[in-house]
C-alpha cells in the first residue's frame, strides 16, 4: 500500500523530496495553501500602523506579485504547465506590531499531483522551497546538486540511481535559467533594498538586513565539469601540425582532440589510418561543462588495434 504524503508546510515539501530521492512508493494526498510571512522589524516598522501603506510597503507588495507572476509564467514556458489567472493573484494581510505581510500560496504546488516525472516533481518542490523560504537561488541549487551527487555515489540500486541522475540533470538545467533565478531573487532584493540600517527582515530562523543584498544578485552556479572516458569508432578529419597539443580533428566533435599522451609510434599509426580515411577505434577522455554539457576538451588516450 502506497504511503500518502500531504503538503501542508515547507517541512512536508522536504519530506516528499527525500521520498523521491529514496525511490519510496508514495502518492500525494492533500495540498493545502502554505502560509508564509514577511516580517519587518526595527526602525519604522516597530508598532507599524497598518491603516497606512507607505511607498516602501507598496513596493514590497508589488514586487511579490510581479515576481510571482514572472515565476509562474517561466514555469509555463519551461514545462508547458498552465496556471489560471486567478491562481496567479497573491493576497496579503497586514499584521499589527512589527510589520508582517501574511500570504498564502497554492497554485505553484497543486500542479504536482498530475506529474508523472519524479525528477520534475522534485524540481517544482525545490522551486517552491526557494519561494516560500526566500532562499538564494544559486546557493540553494549548488547545495542541492552537491548533496544529490553525494547520494548518487552511495546508491547501489540502479532504479534509484537513475532517478537521482535525472534529478541532478533537471537541477543543473534550471540553474541556467536566469528569468527564474531573477524572479525568485529579486523579490528578496526588493525587501532588503527598502530597509534602513536599523531594520531587519525575518524569515523563520533567518534574519537579514540590507547588507545581505549581494547574496541575491544573479550568479551563474559553479558546477564541476563532467569527465567521461569512452572507447568508440571515429573518423579523423585532419591533423594540426602547428598548434600545441598535437591536435586531431575528430568528425562530429567540435573541439580539437589533444594527443600528447600518445607515444610517437602510436600517433604515426593514427596519422597513417587517417590518411587512408579508415575508421579508428580510440579511447578518449571528454570533458563537458557541468551546466551546459557542451564539450570543452577532448584527449586521445589510446589507439585500439583490435586485429593485432
Amino acid at each position: 500500500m502506497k504511503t500518502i504524503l500531504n503538503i501542508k508546510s515547507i517541512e512536508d515539501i522536504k519530506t516528499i523530496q527525500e521520498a523521491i530521492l529514496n525511490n519510496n512508493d508514495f502518492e500525494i494526498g492533500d495540498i493545502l495553501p502554505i502560509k508564509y510571512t514577511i516580517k519587518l522589524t526595527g526602525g519604522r516598522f516597530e508598532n507599524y500602523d497598518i491603516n497606512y501603506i507607505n511607498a516602501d510597503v507598496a513596493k514590497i507588495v508589488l514586487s511579490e506579485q510581479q515576481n510571482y507572476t514572472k515565476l509562474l509564467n517561466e514555469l509555463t514556458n519551461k514545462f508547458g504547465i498552465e496556471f489560471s489567472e486567478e491562481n496567479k493573484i497573491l493576497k496579503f494581510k497586514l499584521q499589527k506590531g512589527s510589520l508582517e505581510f501574511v500570504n498564502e500560496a497554492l497554485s505553484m504546488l497543486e500542479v504536482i499531483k498530475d506529474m508523472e516525472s519524479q525528477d520534475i516533481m522534485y524540481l517544482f518542490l525545490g522551486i517552491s522551497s526557494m519561494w516560500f523560504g526566500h532562499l538564494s537561488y544559486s546557493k540553494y541549487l549548488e547545495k542541492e546538486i552537491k548533496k544529490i551527487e553525494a547520494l548518487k555515489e552511495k546508491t547501489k540500486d540502479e532504479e534509484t540511481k537513475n532517478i537521482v541522475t535525472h534529478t541532478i540533470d533537471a537541477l543543473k538545467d534550471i540553474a541556467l535559467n536566469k528569468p527564474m533565478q531573477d524572479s525568485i531573487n529579486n523579490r528578496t532584493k526588493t525587501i532588503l533594498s527598502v530597509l534602513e540600517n536599523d531594520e531587519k527582515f525575518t524569515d523563520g530562523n533567518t534574519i537579514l538586513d540590507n547588507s545581505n543584498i549581494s547574496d541575491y544578485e544573479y550568479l551563474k552556479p559553479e558546477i564541476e565539469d563532467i569527465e567521461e572516458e569512452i572507447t568508440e569508432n571515429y573518423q579523423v578529419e585532419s591533423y594540426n601540425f602547428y598548434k600545441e597539443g598535437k591536435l586531431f580533428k575528430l568528425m562530429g566533435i567540435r573541439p580539437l582532440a589533444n594527443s600528447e599522451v600518445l607515444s610517437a609510434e602510436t600517433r604515426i599509426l593514427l596519422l597513417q589510418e587517417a590518411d587512408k580515411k579508415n575508421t579508428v577505434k580510440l579511447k578518449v577522455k571528454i570533458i563537458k561543462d557541468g551546466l551546459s554539457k557542451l564539450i570543452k576538451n577532448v584527449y586521445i588516450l589510446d589507439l585500439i588495434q583490435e586485429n593485432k
Side-chain angles (χ1 to χ4, degrees):
M1 184 176 178
K2 289 185 177 181
T3 301
I4 305 298
L5 297 177
N6 301 314
I7 300 180
K8 301 178 181 180
S9 67
I10 295 179
E11 290 304 315
D12 292 335
I13 290 176
K14 295 176 182 178
T15 297
I16 295 174
Q17 285 183 302
E18 289 299 316
I20 292 172
L21 294 180
N22 292 316
N23 195 23
N24 294 340
D25 193 16
F26 71 93
E27 65 180 57
I28 303 296
D30 296 329
I31 300 178
L32 301 181
I34 291 181
K35 182 182 293 186
Y36 64 96
T37 302
I38 300 170
K39 184 175 181 179
L40 306 181
T41 61
R44 298 165 294 162
F45 302 112
E46 288 299 326
N47 300 311
Y48 186 87
D49 187 349
I50 60 173
N51 291 310
Y52 299 92
I53 296 178
N54 64 23
D56 286 337
V57 173
K59 185 177 180 180
I60 292 172
V61 171
L62 289 174
S63 175
E64 286 286 306
Q65 181 60 70
Q66 290 170 351
N67 285 296
Y68 189 68
T69 301
K70 287 178 182 177
L71 176 59
L72 297 190
N73 287 342
E74 188 59 27
L75 290 173
T76 297
N77 293 335
K78 183 70 176 174
F79 302 104
I81 296 174
E82 297 292 337
F83 302 92
S84 70
E85 292 304 313
E86 180 182 358
N87 282 337
K88 290 181 182 180
I89 302 299
L90 296 176
K91 296 178 181 179
F92 298 87
K93 180 181 179 181
L94 299 185
Q95 301 274 85
K96 291 183 179 180
S98 297
L99 181 59
E100 296 184 17
F101 300 81
V102 181
N103 188 30
E104 293 182 341
L106 171 64
S107 59
M108 195 191 310
L109 287 171
E110 63 183 359
V111 299
I112 71 171
K113 275 195 171 183
D114 299 323
M115 290 182 180
E116 296 180 2
S117 172
Q118 289 199 324
D119 52 287
I120 300 301
M121 184 186 293
Y122 189 99
L123 194 68
F124 266 72
L125 292 170
I127 291 169
S128 300
S129 294
M130 285 189 278
W131 180 269
F132 296 134
H134 286 269
L135 302 174
S136 170
Y137 191 91
S138 292
K139 289 184 177 180
Y140 172 83
L141 289 177
E142 286 177 9
K143 183 178 178 180
E144 282 292 288
I145 290 170
K146 288 178 180 178
K147 179 186 77 175
I148 300 173
E149 285 178 336
L151 176 63
K152 182 180 177 182
E153 294 298 318
K154 299 178 182 178
T155 301
K156 295 182 179 179
D157 180 73
E158 286 302 319
E159 185 176 351
T160 302
K161 184 172 286 190
N162 188 51
I163 291 173
V164 171
T165 298
H166 284 298
T167 302
I168 292 171
D169 289 342
L171 290 171
K172 287 183 176 180
D173 183 44
I174 67 159
L176 290 170
N177 191 303
K178 189 175 186 298
M180 199 176 295
Q181 179 173 166
D182 286 343
S183 64
I184 288 176
N185 280 351
N186 285 347
R187 34 111 56 163
T188 305
K189 282 175 61 179
T190 297
I191 296 170
L192 299 181
S193 71
V194 306
L195 299 180
E196 296 179 355
N197 291 336
D198 57 343
E199 296 168 348
K200 308 288 184 183
F201 162 45
T202 303
D203 173 28
N205 296 322
T206 303
I207 299 177
L208 305 173
D209 57 34
N210 53 24
S211 68
N212 298 111
I213 289 180
S214 60
D215 294 338
Y216 295 87
E217 298 292 347
Y218 174 75
L219 180 66
K220 183 177 179 180
E222 295 180 4
I223 306 297
E224 292 183 1
D225 291 338
I226 301 168
E227 291 190 9
E228 301 174 343
E229 287 191 10
I230 59 176
T231 301
E232 287 188 4
N233 292 325
Y234 294 95
Q235 287 283 141
V236 177
E237 291 186 356
S238 61
Y239 176 72
N240 191 308
F241 290 91
Y242 299 99
K243 291 185 178 180
E244 293 184 4
K246 299 178 174 58
L247 303 173
F248 285 82
K249 176 66 175 74
L250 304 180
M251 189 175 293
I253 298 180
R254 178 170 293 182
L256 298 178
N258 186 306
S259 70
E260 284 184 322
V261 301
L262 297 180
S263 65
E265 293 80 5
T266 302
R267 191 176 301 106
I268 290 171
L269 286 174
L270 180 54
L271 282 167
Q272 290 172 346
E273 294 296 318
D275 187 55
K276 298 174 186 176
K277 296 182 173 57
N278 290 336
T279 298
V280 292
K281 178 170 283 190
L282 300 175
K283 181 180 180 181
V284 300
K285 178 193 285 186
I286 294 178
I287 298 177
K288 298 179 181 178
D289 182 272
L291 288 173
S292 68
K293 296 187 179 178
L294 295 175
I295 296 175
K296 296 170 61 176
N297 303 103
V298 181
Y299 299 89
I300 300 174
L301 303 180
D302 197 9
L303 169 64
I304 310 300
Q305 297 176 282
E306 295 179 329
N307 58 339
K308 294 185 180 181

